[in-house]
Amino acid sequence: MSTESAKALTPVEILSQTGFFRLLSAPQLEAVAGFSEMQEKDEGASVYRMGEPAKSMYVLVHGTVRMAIDFSGRNTSAGDILRRGEVFGWAALTPSCNSRIATASCLSACTFLVIDGAGLLSLMEQDHTLGYRVMTQLTKLITGTLTAFAGG
C-alpha cells in the first residue's frame, strides 16, 4: 500500500482492517477512532524509545518498524519486524506500568494511526464489552511478543 492510499483510509477503515480490533462493532470502532489521529515519520525516525512514558498505541498503516530492547547499551531485536496492520505500543494500555519497554524505529517512511491510550482506557471502562475484547487481544499481543523475544 502506498503512502497516498494509506492517507485515503479513514481511521475506522484502518481499525476494521486490523486484526487487533476486528471483533469490535461499528459503533465501537467509531468510538476508538475518535481517540486517534494519523501520523507520518521518515525512514530512520524513532517512534518511541525505551523508558519513555507510554501515552499512545499504534497501528502501522504503511511502512516497516523495528522493535529493539536495549541491554547495556546494545540494541537487540525483540521479535518480528512490524508491517502493515500490526499494532504496537501496548504499554499505553497498562496504566500501572506504562513506560516503554522497547524502542520502535522506522525502517522506511511510515504512516501510523496513533491511538490515545488514556482515551482508549476510558472507553474500555465505559463499555465493558469493548474492554473485554481489547484486553483479550492485548493478552494475545503481549504473549506473542514475549514468545518471540524468548525464541530470539
Side-chain angles (χ1 to χ4, degrees):
M1 173 182 289
S2 70
T3 304
E4 291 76 33
S5 49
K7 289 179 187 176
L9 293 173
T10 67
V12 171
E13 290 170 326
I14 292 166
L15 293 168
S16 69
Q17 295 173 14
T18 302
F20 188 90
F21 294 102
R22 75 178 183 273
L23 298 176
L24 299 184
S25 67
Q28 289 170 331
L29 290 170
E30 287 282 348
V32 174
F35 287 99
S36 66
E37 65 180 13
M38 297 297 287
Q39 183 180 87
E40 295 180 12
K41 291 203 178 268
D42 294 327
E43 179 180 348
S46 173
V47 181
Y48 55 76
R49 297 191 182 283
M50 188 169 159
E52 291 179 348
K55 296 180 180 179
S56 303
M57 69 182 299
Y58 301 82
V59 177
L60 183 55
V61 179
H62 173 77
T64 53
V65 169
R66 174 185 297 280
M67 301 299 293
I69 294 178
D70 185 18
F71 290 109
S72 302
R74 295 180 319 151
N75 277 341
T76 306
S77 175
D80 295 332
I81 302 292
L82 304 178
R83 292 180 173 74
R84 180 181 182 271
E86 293 191 76
V87 173
F88 64 104
W90 49 260
L93 298 183
T94 57
S96 63
C97 183
N98 66 345
S99 294
R100 297 294 182 201
I101 63 166
T103 296
S105 305
C106 297
L107 292 177
S108 63
C110 292
T111 304
F112 308 98
L113 182 65
V114 182
I115 303 167
D116 176 68
L120 183 51
L121 285 169
S122 175
L123 281 176
M124 292 164 62
E125 186 70 30
Q126 294 167 24
D127 179 344
H128 293 167
T129 301
L130 180 147
Y132 176 78
R133 289 178 178 159
V134 169
M135 290 309 292
T136 299
Q137 292 301 105
L138 184 62
T139 301
K140 290 178 186 176
L141 183 62
I142 292 170
T143 302
T145 300
L146 293 174
T147 301
F149 179 68

